Each structure stands twice: as structure tokens, then as C-alpha cells.
Amino acid sequence: MAKFPEAEARLIKGKFICRRCKSVMRTDTRRVVDGTVKCRRCNNHDFKAKRKK
Ligand SMILES: [Zn+2]
């Protein structure tokens, strides 16, 4: 979908997917690493960065 790396990085940055319920969260990378962010649906703390395969 993204046409060039900068745009793709911008789209991915700040978007994380809950590993348990697959809901997308918009948050800061540091907050995910710190574990301060949690899924609003299932309270899971485990997220992965949004990337296309
Ligand atoms: Zn979840």
C-alpha cells in the first residue's frame, strides 16, 4: 500500500496490534516498551508493531 519507505514508516509508527484480540491501538512506541499501555478490550499488555506481510 505504501509507496515509499518514509510513508510506510509513518503509517506503522504509533500503531500496535494486541496479540490476544487483534485490536489496533494507537500509542507511542516507548509506552509499549515500558508496558504502560494496555489493550482497552482485553487488558492485554502484549502488543506487536503493525506491519504488512
Ligand atoms: Zn486486546
XYZ file of all heavy atoms in Angstrom:
436
model
N 0.826 -1.190 0.000
C 0.000 0.000 0.000
C 0.869 1.252 0.000
O 0.676 2.159 -0.793
C -0.916 0.003 1.220
C -2.054 1.001 1.078
S -3.152 0.959 2.511
C -2.440 2.299 3.448
N 1.842 1.267 0.902
C 2.724 2.431 0.971
C 3.623 2.480 -0.257
O 4.078 1.443 -0.752
C 3.567 2.375 2.227
N 3.870 3.662 -0.721
C 4.633 3.791 -1.953
C 6.119 3.972 -1.724
O 6.936 3.662 -2.550
C 4.107 4.960 -2.789
C 2.725 4.655 -3.354
C 2.189 5.840 -4.110
C 0.837 5.502 -4.712
N -0.241 6.300 -4.168
N 6.465 4.508 -0.581
C 7.884 4.690 -0.269
C 8.131 4.509 1.230
O 7.206 4.652 2.029
C 8.397 6.051 -0.771
C 7.500 7.205 -0.428
C 7.703 7.929 0.738
C 6.463 7.561 -1.274
C 6.883 8.987 1.043
C 5.631 8.623 -0.970
C 5.846 9.343 0.202
N 9.355 4.156 1.578
C 9.674 3.753 2.956
C 9.275 4.775 4.020
O 8.826 4.395 5.087
C 11.194 3.574 2.939
C 11.514 3.264 1.529
C 10.514 4.010 0.684
N 9.464 6.056 3.733
C 9.134 7.074 4.734
C 7.653 7.030 5.096
O 7.279 7.084 6.260
C 9.492 8.472 4.225
C 10.982 8.746 4.170
C 11.597 8.308 2.850
O 10.907 7.651 2.049
O 12.786 8.622 2.633
N 6.820 6.935 4.075
C 5.376 6.891 4.314
C 4.996 5.623 5.064
O 4.169 5.647 5.971
C 4.624 6.967 2.995
N 5.624 4.546 4.701
C 5.318 3.283 5.360
C 5.700 3.329 6.834
O 4.945 2.910 7.698
C 6.076 2.155 4.660
C 5.547 0.794 5.019
C 6.218 -0.295 4.217
O 6.885 0.019 3.216
O 6.079 -1.452 4.600
N 6.870 3.891 7.112
C 7.329 4.023 8.487
C 6.369 4.901 9.284
O 6.058 4.612 10.435
C 8.732 4.605 8.520
N 5.899 5.941 8.662
C 4.975 6.853 9.354
C 3.648 6.157 9.653
O 3.051 6.367 10.699
C 4.768 8.102 8.491
C 3.875 9.117 9.116
C 4.050 10.530 8.527
N 4.609 10.598 7.194
C 3.879 10.585 6.066
N 2.573 10.475 6.117
N 4.482 10.682 4.916
N 3.207 5.320 8.744
C 1.955 4.608 8.953
C 2.084 3.567 10.056
O 1.179 3.386 10.854
C 1.527 3.916 7.647
C 0.986 4.840 6.559
C 0.895 4.077 5.243
C -0.368 5.399 6.938
N 3.219 2.901 10.081
C 3.433 1.845 11.067
C 3.669 2.433 12.447
O 3.190 1.927 13.442
C 4.629 0.964 10.634
C 4.241 0.149 9.407
C 5.061 0.042 11.760
C 5.420 -0.485 8.710
N 4.397 3.510 12.466
C 4.777 4.131 13.735
C 3.547 4.563 14.537
O 2.687 5.267 14.022
C 5.655 5.356 13.445
C 6.366 5.902 14.657
C 7.237 7.054 14.237
C 7.917 7.677 15.451
N 8.679 8.857 15.065
N 3.510 4.132 15.767
C 2.400 4.535 16.619
C 1.180 3.643 16.508
O 0.169 3.917 17.114
N 1.306 2.574 15.756
C 0.191 1.639 15.670
C 0.626 0.261 16.111
O 1.606 -0.285 15.603
C -0.342 1.565 14.230
C -1.315 2.665 13.902
C -2.000 2.371 12.592
C -3.035 3.433 12.299
N -3.746 3.147 11.050
N -0.118 -0.264 17.039
C 0.224 -1.576 17.585
C -1.015 -2.458 17.643
O -2.120 -1.970 17.866
C 0.820 -1.421 18.980
C 2.129 -0.681 18.943
C 2.156 0.699 19.024
C 3.310 -1.366 18.785
C 3.362 1.388 18.951
C 4.515 -0.692 18.713
C 4.535 0.690 18.796
N -0.784 -3.730 17.479
C -1.893 -4.673 17.470
C -1.793 -5.584 18.683
O -0.735 -6.153 18.960
C -1.878 -5.506 16.164
C -2.036 -4.570 14.972
C -2.991 -6.550 16.180
C -1.840 -5.248 13.643
N -2.895 -5.699 19.371
C -2.978 -6.594 20.519
C -2.789 -8.030 20.050
O -3.429 -8.463 19.103
C -4.328 -6.424 21.197
S -4.583 -7.590 22.522
N -1.903 -8.735 20.711
C -1.640 -10.112 20.307
C -2.803 -11.039 20.653
O -2.913 -12.139 20.135
C -0.375 -10.641 20.985
C 0.907 -10.065 20.392
C 2.101 -10.755 21.013
N 3.343 -10.063 20.714
C 4.089 -10.312 19.640
N 3.734 -11.222 18.785
N 5.203 -9.646 19.456
N -3.622 -10.633 21.584
C -4.694 -11.524 22.023
C -5.981 -11.308 21.212
O -6.596 -12.255 20.757
C -4.971 -11.317 23.511
C -5.655 -12.512 24.143
C -6.106 -12.199 25.553
N -4.969 -12.072 26.469
C -5.097 -11.589 27.686
N -6.256 -11.172 28.138
N -4.043 -11.507 28.470
N -6.386 -10.038 21.070
C -7.675 -9.800 20.415
C -7.539 -9.074 19.077
O -8.544 -8.773 18.445
C -8.618 -9.046 21.347
S -8.173 -7.328 21.610
N -6.327 -8.779 18.684
C -6.052 -8.197 17.363
C -6.609 -6.788 17.165
O -6.745 -6.326 16.047
C -6.593 -9.103 16.233
C -6.086 -10.532 16.279
C -4.627 -10.614 15.896
C -4.222 -12.073 15.699
N -4.207 -12.807 16.962
N -6.950 -6.124 18.252
C -7.431 -4.756 18.091
C -6.246 -3.812 17.935
O -5.179 -4.027 18.518
C -8.297 -4.352 19.286
O -7.489 -4.162 20.420
N -6.428 -2.773 17.151
C -5.347 -1.837 16.861
C -5.361 -0.706 17.882
O -6.400 -0.109 18.143
C -5.496 -1.260 15.442
C -4.380 -0.269 15.144
C -5.492 -2.387 14.414
N -4.190 -0.459 18.451
C -4.046 0.627 19.402
C -3.114 1.676 18.821
O -2.075 1.352 18.252
C -3.439 0.110 20.714
C -4.305 -0.904 21.413
S -5.735 -0.155 22.187
C -4.937 0.753 23.507
N -3.463 2.922 18.967
C -2.559 3.995 18.566
C -1.891 4.541 19.809
O -2.543 5.101 20.693
C -3.348 5.109 17.872
C -3.831 4.707 16.504
C -4.468 5.873 15.806
N -3.481 6.936 15.585
C -3.811 8.186 15.268
N -5.064 8.528 15.165
N -2.886 9.086 15.062
N -0.589 4.346 19.869
C 0.145 4.823 21.028
C 1.614 4.999 20.692
O 2.040 4.762 19.566
C -0.019 3.847 22.217
O 0.615 4.397 23.359
C 0.590 2.500 21.899
N 2.364 5.420 21.682
C 3.782 5.668 21.484
C 4.574 4.376 21.621
O 4.226 3.512 22.417
C 4.245 6.675 22.548
C 5.405 7.483 22.058
O 6.548 6.995 22.139
O 5.165 8.608 21.583
N 5.645 4.263 20.840
C 6.486 3.071 20.902
C 7.063 2.884 22.301
O 7.113 1.779 22.818
C 7.642 3.189 19.897
O 7.117 3.565 18.634
C 8.366 1.865 19.763
N 7.484 3.984 22.918
C 8.084 3.901 24.252
C 7.099 3.382 25.279
O 7.448 2.664 26.198
C 8.596 5.290 24.679
C 9.937 5.632 24.079
C 10.282 7.073 24.336
N 9.348 7.958 23.642
C 9.284 9.264 23.823
N 10.089 9.854 24.663
N 8.443 9.993 23.156
N 5.855 3.794 25.132
C 4.832 3.348 26.085
C 4.588 1.848 25.973
O 4.297 1.172 26.963
C 3.534 4.120 25.856
C 3.592 5.511 26.456
C 2.430 6.369 26.014
N 1.149 5.831 26.431
C 0.607 5.986 27.651
N 1.248 6.689 28.557
N -0.536 5.459 27.951
N 4.678 1.324 24.764
C 4.525 -0.111 24.572
C 5.695 -0.858 25.201
O 5.527 -1.867 25.884
C 4.412 -0.453 23.068
C 4.421 -1.961 22.853
C 3.137 0.146 22.495
N 6.904 -0.329 24.980
C 8.103 -0.962 25.526
C 8.066 -0.931 27.054
O 8.427 -1.891 27.722
C 9.376 -0.259 24.986
C 10.622 -0.786 25.684
C 9.482 -0.479 23.476
N 7.617 0.182 27.605
C 7.527 0.320 29.055
C 6.447 -0.571 29.660
O 6.495 -0.913 30.832
C 7.217 1.775 29.429
C 8.404 2.682 29.191
O 9.501 2.155 28.926
O 8.232 3.902 29.274
N 5.457 -0.912 28.865
C 4.355 -1.714 29.369
C 3.264 -0.879 30.009
O 2.414 -1.395 30.714
N 3.297 0.437 29.768
C 2.264 1.302 30.360
C 0.949 1.209 29.603
O -0.106 1.452 30.158
C 2.717 2.774 30.374
O 3.530 3.019 29.244
C 3.477 3.103 31.624
N 1.049 0.875 28.337
C -0.169 0.800 27.541
C -0.783 -0.592 27.653
O -0.069 -1.593 27.738
C 0.129 1.170 26.077
C 0.894 0.079 25.361
C -1.140 1.493 25.330
N -2.101 -0.616 27.689
C -2.770 -1.915 27.683
C -4.005 -1.847 26.809
O -4.603 -0.785 26.614
C -3.100 -2.367 29.095
C -4.116 -1.519 29.817
C -4.381 -2.106 31.194
C -5.394 -1.256 31.944
N -5.677 -1.810 33.278
N -4.374 -2.998 26.316
C -5.500 -3.086 25.408
C -6.793 -2.698 26.112
O -7.042 -3.151 27.223
C -5.596 -4.519 24.878
S -7.009 -4.771 23.804
N -7.592 -1.865 25.459
C -8.814 -1.410 26.107
C -9.911 -2.469 26.065
O -10.921 -2.353 26.733
C -9.292 -0.096 25.492
C -9.900 -0.200 24.126
C -10.435 1.163 23.685
N -9.381 1.949 23.057
C -9.156 1.948 21.737
N -9.886 1.212 20.948
N -8.198 2.675 21.236
N -9.705 -3.466 25.259
C -10.718 -4.515 25.168
C -10.444 -5.695 26.094
O -11.341 -6.213 26.729
C -10.829 -5.020 23.723
C -11.821 -4.202 22.897
C -11.747 -4.557 21.433
N -12.230 -5.917 21.188
C -12.173 -6.523 20.012
N -11.645 -5.895 18.988
N -12.610 -7.721 19.853
N -9.178 -6.122 26.132
C -8.888 -7.322 26.915
C -7.814 -7.103 27.976
O -7.392 -8.048 28.621
C -8.495 -8.475 25.979
S -6.936 -8.222 25.132
N -7.363 -5.842 28.148
C -6.368 -5.506 29.164
C -5.039 -6.234 28.989
O -4.273 -6.388 29.930
C -6.901 -5.763 30.583
C -7.980 -4.760 30.943
O -8.057 -3.681 30.357
N -8.808 -5.099 31.900
N -4.786 -6.672 27.786
C -3.530 -7.339 27.492
C -2.405 -6.317 27.395
O -2.613 -5.186 26.971
C -3.690 -8.097 26.164
C -2.470 -8.894 25.818
O -1.744 -9.344 26.701
N -2.232 -9.084 24.540
N -1.203 -6.724 27.793
C -0.052 -5.824 27.697
C 0.867 -6.186 26.547
O 1.875 -5.539 26.345
C 0.759 -5.856 29.008
C 0.090 -5.135 30.121
N 0.286 -3.797 30.353
C -0.779 -5.564 31.046
C -0.437 -3.435 31.392
N -1.098 -4.495 31.835
N 0.540 -7.233 25.854
C 1.437 -7.721 24.812
C 0.992 -7.215 23.439
O -0.066 -7.590 22.935
C 1.431 -9.253 24.848
C 2.595 -9.835 24.073
O 3.523 -9.071 23.737
O 2.581 -11.046 23.810
N 1.816 -6.346 22.864
C 1.493 -5.773 21.568
C 2.590 -6.049 20.562
O 3.754 -6.218 20.937
C 1.318 -4.265 21.689
C 0.083 -3.874 22.431
C 0.125 -3.717 23.800
C -1.102 -3.672 21.770
C -1.014 -3.368 24.498
C -2.243 -3.319 22.452
C -2.209 -3.163 23.819
N 2.190 -6.056 19.316
C 3.185 -6.105 18.267
C 2.990 -4.934 17.320
O 1.862 -4.433 17.156
C 3.114 -7.422 17.492
C 1.850 -7.615 16.670
C 1.857 -9.010 16.079
C 0.576 -9.290 15.310
N 0.662 -8.882 13.918
N 4.078 -4.468 16.732
C 4.003 -3.354 15.795
C 3.228 -3.756 14.561
O 3.304 -4.900 14.114
C 5.400 -2.901 15.418
N 2.484 -2.810 14.041
C 1.709 -3.092 12.837
C 2.622 -3.100 11.630
O 3.308 -2.134 11.332
C 0.619 -2.039 12.662
C -0.291 -2.297 11.479
C -1.420 -1.294 11.470
C -2.163 -1.262 10.164
N -2.774 -2.523 9.808
N 2.651 -4.223 10.944
C 3.453 -4.355 9.734
C 2.690 -5.163 8.712
O 1.984 -6.105 9.055
C 4.782 -5.064 10.030
C 5.762 -4.195 10.746
C 7.148 -4.806 10.706
N 8.082 -3.949 11.404
C 8.646 -2.892 10.859
N 8.386 -2.590 9.616
N 9.478 -2.157 11.542
N 2.879 -4.795 7.481
C 2.259 -5.616 6.451
C 3.185 -6.772 6.102
O 4.414 -6.668 6.236
C 1.968 -4.772 5.204
C 3.183 -4.287 4.486
C 2.798 -3.659 3.141
C 4.039 -3.283 2.367
N 3.718 -2.801 1.021
N 2.612 -7.873 5.704
C 3.413 -9.049 5.419
C 3.650 -9.223 3.922
O 2.786 -8.908 3.146
C 2.710 -10.288 5.978
C 2.700 -10.268 7.477
C 2.227 -11.585 8.034
C 2.321 -11.546 9.564
N 1.644 -12.688 10.150
Zn -6.648 -6.971 23.312
